[in-house]
Each structure stands twice: as structure tokens, then as C-alpha cells.
Amino acid sequence: MTEHLHEGEEQPHLLLVDDDPTFTRVMARAMMRRGFRVSCASSAEEGLMLARQDVPDYAVLDLKMAGDSGLVLLPKLLELDAEMRVLILTGYSSIATAVEAIKRGACNYLCKPADADDVLTALLSEHADLDSLVPENPMSVDRLQWEHIQRVLNEHDGNISATARALGMHRRTLQRKLQKRPVRR
């Protein structure tokens, strides 16, 4: 479902806000190939600054980022242009956050991993598909915990003590959890 632009039409502007540089680079390239002019930001603050300079037609926001989340940025973007179509992307899907995103004005909500075709379909669809908000096989609680620990550890550059403090757990408890193999789904 690729939207082709007619000659003379201005390219639609997409703002991509995600703190994962690899995902952002790949998604930006894919969306440019689909006819979008893409601006990228790695934080909600940077995304808002870019949006104020050049208001986008579409925005794709990561739910969980360092600093403000995509849910905090969402209403600020809609203040700039109430017609903007905003999609929330997350690796941590839950019905509660999906409903909250839609309530705050998101046009849709997608679980990672999502490819450019999924993003395009979600941005252009008229209604959020509530059945697809949470995958059929959501991650187990143990896997979610393991993923979260890995993310926080990465945010603290592998520093176990700083990660333990950020997670509110004892350093030795964290070390024990890190010694275990990752839980399958």
C-alpha cells in the first residue's frame, strides 16, 4: 500500500522520534523511498524543537525514550497542528498504553518490530485496529523484565551499580539476574 505522489505535489513531512539510532536510520531511509521528507530526532525535546521549526504532516513516536516519553510529546505536537497524524511505536505493548495513546490523540499504535509498510498503513488508516494493538503472543513477564534490565543497563553504559540504583534493586540481585540466559518470549 504505497502512496505515490503526483507531479508538483509537495512531499509529505514525517517526523521520526526514537532513541534507537539504527531503527531510526533504517526507518527514515525506507520512508524516504516511499515519498516522505523525513526529519529525525532521538528525544522528545529534540522532536518538539524540530516540529516547531517545520511542522510535520505525520509523526512516528517511540513510547519509551530517555527523558519525556512519546505520550508526553504527543499532545504538544497536536497543539502545533491538530490535523497531524501521530503513530506511537513501542516494544512494550499493553492495552493500557494503547488506550492512553489513542485518548491523547494518536491515530494509531504499533508494536515493534514494525517495518515501513506497517508504519505507512497505520499512519494512513482511518481507525486504530484495537485487535492488533497487543500481539497474539505477548512477551512473558520474565522476558519483559529481562528486556527492561538490558535497556536500562545500556542507558547506563553497562554500569551495574548505576543500573541497580535506577531499577531500585540491590546490585547483587541485578548481577544474579544478568547471569541467567535471556528468557524466551
Side-chain angles (χ1 to χ4, degrees):
M1 175 177 170
T2 304
E3 288 273 305
H4 291 285
L5 300 172
H6 301 292
E7 282 301 313
E9 272 189 39
E10 189 179 326
Q11 285 183 302
H13 181 204
L14 170 69
L15 173 65
L16 190 53
V17 184
D18 196 306
D19 58 358
D20 177 343
T22 305
F23 172 81
T24 305
R25 187 177 61 251
V26 171
M27 184 60 67
R29 198 174 307 136
M31 295 309 280
M32 282 188 256
R33 282 196 301 267
R34 285 161 177 77
F36 286 86
R37 183 169 55 88
V38 181
S39 300
C40 297
S42 60
S43 69
E45 295 77 14
E46 184 186 358
L48 185 58
M49 186 184 73
L50 287 174
R52 285 185 174 138
Q53 292 168 2
D54 184 4
V55 179
D57 304 296
Y58 300 93
V60 176
L61 313 177
D62 189 16
L63 179 69
K64 295 219 190 292
M65 297 180 282
D68 286 344
S69 75
L71 286 180
V72 172
L73 177 58
L74 174 58
K76 294 175 183 176
L77 290 177
L78 292 174
E79 280 176 25
L80 299 175
D81 178 2
E83 298 298 308
M84 187 186 309
R85 299 199 45 90
V86 182
L87 169 67
I88 296 287
L89 271 183
T90 181
Y92 307 92
S93 60
S94 78
I95 295 289
T97 54
V99 169
E100 188 61 29
I102 303 301
K103 274 186 184 173
R104 291 190 187 201
C107 71
N108 222 322
Y109 178 102
L110 267 184
C111 299
K112 288 180 182 176
D115 65 21
D117 290 330
D118 296 332
V119 168
L120 190 59
T121 300
L123 280 172
L124 299 177
S125 70
E126 285 306 306
H127 302 289
D129 179 5
L130 293 173
D131 293 332
S132 70
L133 295 179
V134 177
E136 286 180 34
N137 300 322
M139 288 186 219
S140 68
V141 173
D142 289 339
R143 178 64 188 209
L144 275 173
Q145 179 187 44
W146 189 87
E147 294 277 346
H148 182 65
I149 287 171
Q150 294 302 315
R151 185 180 181 109
V152 175
L153 183 62
N154 189 34
E155 288 169 5
H156 290 92
D157 301 317
N159 183 319
I160 302 278
S161 297
T163 302
R165 278 193 300 275
L167 292 170
M169 69 173 58
H170 196 278
R171 187 179 49 79
R172 279 182 294 205
T173 303
L174 177 59
Q175 285 174 320
R176 272 195 304 276
K177 287 180 182 289
L178 289 171
Q179 288 171 350
K180 294 179 183 175
R181 292 191 172 277
V183 182
R184 290 185 194 267
R185 285 262 161 225

